[in-house]
Amino acid sequence: MSALPRLKGQEMSIRVFRNDTVVKELVLISTINDNVNIDIKEDGFLGESVNRFDNVLNGYGGDFEFQVNQSRWYEFTRFVTDKAQRLSIEATTTVFNIVMTESYSDGNVNIIAYMGVAFGAFNKSTASRADFVKVKTSFSCSERDEQLNAL
């Protein structure tokens, strides 16, 4: 029995869009975590011997870390900051989308798109003189589109 090849980080890419224009293509991704935020709700009622459970979808999110290879990433953070501060009409109407592409060894390609993304803090770190500069941020949104076997 042979083990099937698994998805590696080298088969993933992330693009961040601002109003249908790529503002950052993250090719030096160190880590990414994405999730479906589902809460379990529990209710107990008098006269019943066990509690009742239900699920509630609270959106999608995650975080990622990338190495810096161009100063252009500051433009990206400026777009996010301008939107957060509501500095102009253009800034407030800006929509950020994250598109993650997964290329599997069997030829299948999944495209996961997070729409209307809000970003958290951008943390830049440099561990030592010999290490690469990294930026880590988190994101959340309420809509995700999954195109399985897209290509």
Side-chain angles (χ1 to χ4, degrees):
M1 181 175 171
S2 65
L4 294 174
R6 293 163 287 177
L7 184 66
K8 290 184 181 178
Q10 67 191 20
E11 285 97 25
M12 295 187 65
S13 68
I14 298 177
R15 292 173 313 225
V16 180
F17 289 81
R18 177 183 181 231
N19 299 335
D20 299 325
T21 302
V22 175
V23 292
K24 184 68 182 162
E25 177 137 17
L26 304 174
V27 292
L28 300 175
I29 304 161
S30 300
T31 61
I32 182 166
N33 301 296
D34 63 326
N35 54 57
V36 178
N37 298 323
I38 297 176
D39 280 346
I40 298 174
K41 298 297 181 184
E42 179 178 359
D43 284 316
F45 295 97
L46 296 175
E48 293 185 356
S49 59
V50 295
N51 288 346
R52 296 182 187 187
F53 297 91
D54 199 1
N55 293 6
V56 176
L57 177 63
N58 286 327
Y60 308 91
D63 60 68
F64 56 88
E65 183 176 60
F66 59 95
Q67 294 177 355
V68 175
N69 66 339
Q70 296 176 346
S71 63
R72 190 168 173 223
W73 79 274
Y74 278 106
E75 295 174 17
F76 169 49
T77 59
R78 187 177 307 129
F79 291 145
V80 174
T81 304
D82 288 353
K83 181 173 181 166
Q85 293 178 323
R86 292 155 175 77
L87 291 180
S88 67
I89 296 294
E90 181 186 19
T92 58
T93 58
T94 294
V95 176
F96 291 103
N97 298 323
I98 295 177
V99 178
M100 183 170 58
T101 304
E102 302 172 336
S103 302
Y104 291 89
S105 62
D106 63 0
N108 288 333
V109 176
N110 293 345
I111 299 174
I112 314 298
Y114 296 90
M115 279 81 79
V117 170
F119 289 96
F122 286 85
N123 301 306
K124 183 174 78 168
S125 66
T126 308
S128 72
R129 280 183 348 157
D131 290 325
F132 295 107
V133 175
K134 295 181 180 179
V135 177
K136 184 172 187 172
T137 188
S138 59
F139 65 93
S140 295
C141 67
S142 50
E143 185 180 353
R144 180 173 92 168
D145 180 50
E146 301 166 352
Q147 297 178 26
L148 308 179
N149 304 324
L151 300 177

